[in-house]
Amino acid sequence: MRRLLVLMFAAAMPLAVAAQDSASPKGPAAGATPSEAPAPLPLIVPKPVETHVVSYSLAGEMYDQQIHATVDGRNYVAFVPDMGLSTIAFQADLDGDGYDELVHGWIGGGNCCPTTFSVLSYRGNGIFSNVTHADFWSWGTPELIETGAEPRLRVESIVSGAGHTSDEVTLSVFAYRDGALHLVEQAVSDAHLPALVELKAGDFDRTGTPKSERLEMSFDMNADGRADVFSCGWWERWGALSCDIRMGGGGVIEIHTGCERIGVLDSRTGGMNDLVCGRDGVLTFNGTAYASF
């Protein structure tokens, strides 16, 4: 009987080893770099909540501003910026608690820098919180994306200005939950409209051209058989191009829109080729000048 038990135990050993092997980890190999993508947030199931009446407004002048809030008829000084100029983007119930949040921006003044945005939220008992995120900024305004159970905040950010010549755009999408902004999507893109010929602010550095000089390219813009010359200088404040088109038949057309990239498109308007400014901004000719987009 004892011998029979020993034989049965020995016969079971390979099965135990096989089961252990089948349960080995199946993640990335040792030393592999993990993905930098934001971790997905768990799905939330909205619950019925009581809707409250909330409104926000700005009071005071620059460097002396306050954001006022009214919640169910009670007035609050909800937030006082340290300094600078505040702007209201929009208000919406971002976390489904029945109280509207305020998406607002702050800028230090002038046009040197993009706007940093924040979310101001009523947390109950007369308490407000104001939160932001390192990637929650833009030269434009955040976009509210309705996604069903939980809205999203989308911003497109471009690093520009003196010392920068890139026209890459960063897309960041946030969810506001539990009093915090959560980054749920981020991507960097250099996608652009293709041009027949083009100049970029980065061409100064790429070609070793001193920024005191000018870059040039030629193209027959009005199809009269004569080359028209783009002459572009370095706009130091913005790290962009400031261009003139010297027409082969005489005359000069100025393009001082501050494009980091200027290119000639295949399409035409008003007897002249359209231009691309940056990645995908289109400038069209109105008979006397290229109108800004």
Side-chain angles (χ1 to χ4, degrees):
M1 187 66 172
R2 177 177 298 176
R3 184 180 179 185
L4 178 59
L5 289 173
V6 171
L7 290 174
M8 291 177 65
F9 178 77
M13 287 295 290
L15 295 177
V17 172
Q20 184 178 11
D21 290 344
S22 68
S24 60
K26 293 183 172 57
T33 302
S35 172
E36 297 295 334
L41 288 175
L43 181 65
I44 63 170
V45 178
K47 299 178 181 179
V49 296
E50 179 184 356
T51 301
H52 297 265
V53 179
V54 183
S55 63
Y56 297 92
S57 61
L58 284 176
E61 303 297 328
M62 185 175 180
Y63 302 117
D64 187 28
Q65 280 193 327
Q66 299 175 345
I67 297 180
H68 291 186
T70 302
V71 181
D72 293 334
R74 177 167 290 186
N75 298 322
Y76 297 93
V77 177
F79 181 68
V80 180
D82 289 338
M83 60 177 294
L85 180 66
S86 297
T87 59
I88 288 180
F90 55 84
Q91 68 177 66
D93 186 358
L94 301 176
D95 55 4
D97 65 351
Y99 295 92
D100 274 5
E101 279 71 40
L102 177 71
V103 179
H104 66 101
W106 177 91
I107 190 169
N111 55 2
C112 72
C113 310
T115 302
T116 298
F117 290 92
S118 304
V119 175
L120 182 65
S121 176
Y122 182 67
R123 310 309 295 168
N125 296 330
I127 299 171
F128 289 80
S129 68
N130 189 70
V131 298
T132 188
H133 188 281
D135 295 319
F136 197 39
W137 60 271
S138 176
W139 289 98
T141 302
E143 176 187 0
L144 179 64
I145 305 173
E146 297 291 350
T147 59
E150 188 174 45
R152 297 286 191 261
L153 298 170
R154 168 185 170 130
V155 292
E156 297 179 7
S157 309
I158 299 177
V159 177
S160 61
H164 301 285
T165 57
S166 172
D167 58 2
E168 290 182 340
V169 60
T170 299
L171 162 69
S172 302
V173 179
F174 298 89
Y176 180 76
R177 187 185 294 183
D178 300 325
L181 280 166
H182 299 270
L183 181 65
V184 297
E185 179 185 351
Q186 192 166 63
V188 178
S189 175
D190 61 356
H192 55 275
L193 296 180
L196 302 175
V197 293
E198 66 181 25
L199 287 173
K200 297 181 178 181
D203 289 342
F204 280 97
D205 295 331
R206 184 180 61 81
T207 61
T209 303
K211 292 183 174 66
S212 57
E213 298 183 8
R214 300 181 72 83
L215 299 173
E216 292 189 346
M217 66 179 181
S218 299
F219 191 85
D220 185 0
M221 295 292 293
N222 56 0
D224 66 353
R226 290 173 289 195
D228 307 307
V229 178
F230 287 73
S231 178
C232 299
W234 172 258
W235 194 346
E236 182 176 2
R237 180 173 185 179
W238 296 108
L241 298 174
S242 178
C243 302
D244 300 327
I245 307 176
R246 301 168 185 167
M247 303 301 295
V252 175
I253 300 174
E254 297 181 347
I255 306 173
H256 297 171
T257 310
C259 307
E260 293 164 346
R261 167 182 177 249
I262 190 80
V264 178
L265 298 176
D266 192 36
S267 55
R268 297 173 63 84
T269 304
M272 297 273 283
N273 284 73
D274 299 332
L275 299 176
V276 59
C277 175
R279 294 185 310 109
D280 58 357
V282 177
L283 306 178
T284 56
F285 192 66
N286 62 12
T288 57
Y290 277 92
S292 300
F293 46 85

